[in-house]
Amino acid sequence: MKLPGDAGAAADGAGSAAAASADGADAATPGSVRPGGRTARVRAAVLEAAGDTLAEQGFHGLDLAEVARRADVGKTTVYRRWGTVAGLVADLLTDMAERSLPRARTGSLLEDLLANAELVRRTLSDPRQGALFKAVIAAATGDARTAEALHRFYEVRVAEWAPCVRQAVERGELPEGTDAAEVVRAVSAPLYYRLLTTAEPLDEASAGRAARAAVAAARAGAFVPGPGRD
């Protein structure tokens, strides 16, 4: 499973139920810094199967036994390691966050945030990944564990990009006190809104508008906490 944008470049392998006893090992896969191990290959195969099922059938179609079958892994291994569907989704989001592409480092706030917007756009417009995110977001509205995992995912991604904004403040591009996390969220928010509420395409123009609007608002001081703005 390789996410083409903001949501986690993951490369997956295959494994078997015999890997259940090797929990200390991790995978060495493209885009990953983890060492190799059979358990990691099992985890990668199961998470890829879980992501495929989420994209195809939604959260309510996710079944641990079916995921095990797709991943060619013993059911006992899946039930022992993840326990519940919510536990599996939480691990999937953790893996996606860990493997997400790093932030841009162009030296320009606008160029950095244009890159961020394009990563988000490519991710959400991908047929598989867009459907996967829709399914997880929908599940998070009614499942506390999924919601917590989704919040952690976005915390990791926002934290990755926030230095772009802090560096812009240091360069004098933005007012002192600008909330870096809020600026980053302002870039992706219009793209998620379009994904979830309209049938309009997520094109490059929409990503560019989102980034430019966030930069303009930030330069105007919209993200500096203060009276009437908190």
Side-chain angles (χ1 to χ4, degrees):
M1 176 177 66
K2 183 173 178 64
L3 199 64
D6 185 51
D12 303 310
S16 69
S21 63
D23 288 337
D26 292 310
T29 54
S32 170
V33 296
R34 300 172 184 173
R38 180 173 287 191
T39 292
R41 293 195 295 273
V42 169
R43 180 176 181 246
V46 169
L47 295 184
E48 180 177 28
D52 289 345
T53 305
L54 272 172
E56 295 168 11
Q57 302 178 26
F59 183 81
H60 294 294
L62 194 61
D63 176 78
L64 295 187
E66 173 61 15
V67 168
R69 185 194 66 78
R70 284 189 177 217
D72 194 22
V73 172
K75 289 190 294 184
T76 302
T77 297
V78 175
Y79 280 99
R80 181 187 303 123
R81 176 154 186 171
W82 288 278
T84 64
V85 166
L88 180 56
V89 172
D91 195 28
L92 175 63
L93 287 167
T94 296
D95 184 70
M96 289 166 61
E98 291 172 351
R99 296 170 183 252
S100 293
L101 297 176
R103 68 180 180 274
R105 301 171 186 267
T106 69
S108 161
L109 177 66
L110 178 58
E111 293 302 318
D112 286 347
L113 295 188
L114 283 170
N116 175 260
E118 180 59 17
L119 286 176
V120 175
R121 184 198 71 80
R122 293 206 322 262
T123 297
L124 299 183
S125 61
D126 179 80
R128 179 185 185 277
Q129 299 307 133
L132 189 157
F133 270 95
K134 283 182 179 180
V136 173
I137 291 168
T141 63
D143 182 86
R145 187 169 180 183
T146 302
E148 181 182 357
L150 188 63
H151 295 160
R152 285 198 305 271
F153 172 84
Y154 286 115
E155 285 175 1
V156 170
R157 295 310 298 147
V158 169
E160 170 65 23
W161 284 86
C164 297
V165 181
R166 290 196 289 270
Q167 290 161 7
V169 173
E170 293 169 0
R171 293 192 300 264
E173 289 188 58
L174 298 179
E176 291 288 338
T178 296
D179 188 323
E182 284 299 305
V183 176
V184 175
R185 294 187 190 107
V187 174
S188 59
L191 302 177
Y192 276 93
Y193 183 86
R194 182 172 288 220
L195 173 75
L196 296 171
T197 67
T198 78
E200 298 174 16
L202 283 166
D203 53 17
E204 292 183 14
S206 62
R209 282 194 302 271
R212 290 184 173 89
V215 170
R219 287 174 175 164
F223 300 107
V224 178
R229 287 187 284 182
D230 290 341

